[in-house]
Amino acid sequence: MEAIRKQASKFREQVARQQQAVLRQFGGGGYGGSDNVITDEEELHRHQKLEKLYISTRSAKHFQRDIVRGVEGSIVTGSKQVEIGTKLCEDSRRYGSGNTCTSGNTLTRASLSFANARDQMEKERGNLLKALGTQVAEPLRAMVIGAPLVDARHLAQRYERMRQETESQTIEVSKRQAKVRENPGNPELVMKLEYAEAKLQDLKSNMTILGKEAASAMAAVEEQQQTQTFQRLITLVEAERIYHQRILEIIERLEGEMRVEQQRIEGPQTPQVDNITSSPPPSYEEASNEVNASHMHDGTSDAMGYFLGEVMFSYQSDSEFELSLSVGDYVVIREVTSSGWAEGECKGKAGWFPYDYIERRDRVLATKVIEVI
């Protein structure tokens, strides 16, 4: 269809050039003067401009339709993913709430953390799909079927029909001019010629007005298509960026929680459980006396190996050998292992806890140390 349209357009332009050649050959005197040639050239230029605008707006319309289809497909697929992810979230939360394990609750806590993170991720996905629908697909769909584009195309089609009619009338005038030249003085032929010329002038006037309106309308639609489609693409990219950034934050936070649970399993509990079972960790006073005695023997009583730490994250102990912590507490840390666990005392209780939950405080008031003890 496009090839036929282009071929027809070339044929009409060829006919217009032939008409101009005929007018130049027989022009002068009372008929077919140079004014007609100038008008035809102007209309030919306007016609070529409208052809380009028509192709441009049609191509942009198809691109907008492709974007709408792609976004709608993503929404359908994403909605299904949200449904599956929500089901997985519910299953994980159900298992974590049941707490049926008899040997520990590490998997229980991990499943609850995973469920909460998955719930947040599916909410973010839902927000993305909503943004794609309301801010990208719907505006572009409105432009594809909108009145400005339809009205501009109707004007262009009306101009095309009137241009064809004008071309036919121009040929008719040329024929009658030839008859008048062959039969000079024939009043009937002259009258018919004058009628044909008047009709041609009326058609040309209307065609010029309609052509200007169509060109202006098509140019406005083209500008709107280019600007609005570009803005929708920016909105699409920005929505995707925000979504993936928030998903990354959620996953990193979930990974941190999972690492803590992993450290509990791979931490020092297993190798030291036997020792702790047979002999619990020494109290702060006993450990202080031992260290003081050792340092006094070395003559370095002011340089104890302990240090003070502030609790940055709450921690709930799983056994009697672990130490529960609350945000803001201060802990006397007596030992730090290479696996990330620490042993110390807080508020008269001693035990193990994740060292990552603590931030070291080298310079604190003596009253804080007294409060800890």
Side-chain angles (χ1 to χ4, degrees):
M1 183 62 69
E2 178 62 21
I4 295 175
R5 181 181 178 82
K6 289 182 178 179
Q7 186 176 0
S9 177
K10 291 181 180 179
F11 179 74
R12 285 194 297 270
E13 292 176 2
Q14 184 179 0
V15 171
R17 294 190 186 96
Q18 292 175 352
Q19 291 173 356
Q20 293 175 16
V22 171
L23 291 174
R24 290 191 185 98
Q25 182 178 357
F26 297 100
Y31 308 104
S34 60
D35 290 344
N36 291 331
V37 177
I38 296 175
T39 303
D40 289 341
E41 290 177 349
E42 291 177 352
E43 288 302 323
L44 179 60
H45 176 72
R46 184 176 294 111
H47 177 261
Q48 293 173 345
K49 180 179 179 181
L50 274 172
E51 283 287 330
K52 295 178 180 179
L53 286 171
Y54 189 91
I55 294 173
S56 172
T57 53
R58 182 187 56 195
S59 177
K61 174 184 176 181
H62 291 170
F63 180 50
Q64 290 174 334
R65 185 179 298 161
D66 292 339
I67 295 176
V68 171
R69 289 173 179 172
V71 170
E72 289 178 343
S74 299
I75 292 175
V76 172
T77 304
S79 299
K80 185 62 177 179
Q81 292 177 338
V82 170
E83 180 181 348
I84 295 173
T86 302
K87 179 64 168 57
L88 177 59
C89 170
E90 294 173 353
D91 294 340
S92 299
R93 183 173 288 112
R94 186 182 303 110
Y95 176 82
S97 301
N99 193 17
T100 57
C101 182
T102 60
S103 60
N105 57 359
T106 299
L107 182 58
T108 298
R109 289 196 300 268
S111 63
L112 289 175
S113 297
F114 177 80
N116 293 333
R118 175 58 62 179
D119 182 56
Q120 295 176 6
M121 286 190 285
E122 298 310 328
K123 288 181 179 178
E124 292 296 337
R125 192 195 301 273
N127 293 336
L128 171 65
L129 299 179
K130 182 179 179 181
L132 294 181
T134 58
Q135 301 179 22
V136 178
E138 292 180 5
L140 290 180
R141 186 188 301 107
M143 290 188 63
V144 169
I145 62 176
L149 176 61
V150 175
D151 294 344
R153 292 167 70 91
H154 285 170
L155 282 175
Q157 292 169 358
R158 286 175 54 195
Y159 166 79
E160 187 65 28
R161 290 193 296 267
M162 184 169 290
R163 188 174 189 274
Q164 294 176 4
E165 186 178 355
T166 303
E167 290 175 352
S168 299
Q169 187 64 24
T170 300
I171 295 174
E172 179 68 19
V173 169
S174 298
K175 290 180 180 180
R176 294 194 177 280
Q177 287 175 348
K179 289 182 179 181
V180 169
R181 282 191 294 270
E182 293 174 356
N183 302 282
N186 189 326
E188 183 180 357
L189 294 178
V190 172
M191 183 180 65
K192 291 181 178 180
L193 174 61
E194 290 177 351
Y195 175 78
E197 288 180 334
K199 183 178 180 180
L200 176 61
Q201 291 300 323
D202 186 52
L203 286 172
K204 285 184 176 181
S205 176
N206 293 335
M207 180 182 66
T208 299
I209 296 174
L210 187 58
K212 292 179 179 179
E213 292 179 358
S216 176
M218 292 291 284
V221 169
E222 182 187 48
E223 177 65 22
Q224 183 187 37
Q225 285 180 332
Q226 296 294 314
T227 302
Q228 293 299 321
T229 305
F230 178 66
Q231 290 296 328
R232 294 311 101 194
L233 284 178
I234 292 179
T235 303
L236 172 62
V237 173
E238 181 66 13
E240 292 272 4
R241 184 193 66 80
I242 294 175
Y243 165 73
H244 289 292
Q245 182 177 357
R246 291 177 178 173
I247 291 298
L248 179 60
E249 293 174 356
I250 295 172
I251 291 178
E252 288 180 344
R253 185 166 58 250
L254 174 61
E255 183 187 19
E257 296 175 358
M258 293 291 190
R259 291 297 182 186
V260 171
E261 298 299 334
Q262 186 179 25
Q263 289 177 358
R264 288 182 176 179
I265 299 175
E266 300 176 354
Q269 296 99 319
T270 301
Q272 297 199 16
V273 163
D274 296 338
N275 296 335
I276 293 176
T277 303
S278 59
S279 58
S283 65
Y284 176 75
E285 290 79 2
E286 295 173 350
S288 298
N289 293 334
E290 293 176 2
V291 174
N292 287 335
S294 175
H295 287 286
M296 288 297 292
H297 177 73
D298 296 336
T300 56
S301 59
D302 293 335
M304 296 176 62
Y306 303 162
F307 61 91
L308 200 63
E310 182 180 355
V311 179
M312 308 307 295
F313 303 97
S314 298
Y315 176 73
Q316 184 65 35
S317 63
D318 290 336
S319 68
E320 58 180 322
F321 307 114
E322 295 183 7
L323 183 62
S324 297
L325 302 174
S326 300
V327 176
D329 289 347
Y330 281 86
V331 185
V332 175
I333 302 170
R334 299 186 288 210
E335 180 182 354
V336 179
T337 66
S338 60
S339 60
W341 284 82
E343 192 277 335
E345 182 175 343
C346 179
K347 299 179 180 178
K349 296 181 180 181
W352 292 92
F353 50 86
Y355 182 63
D356 290 340
Y357 284 47
I358 305 298
E359 185 170 329
R360 180 165 179 164
R361 294 288 184 260
D362 292 330
R363 297 179 179 274
V364 295
L365 296 175
T367 53
K368 289 294 183 182
V369 179
I370 296 174
E371 291 177 2
V372 173
I373 299 174

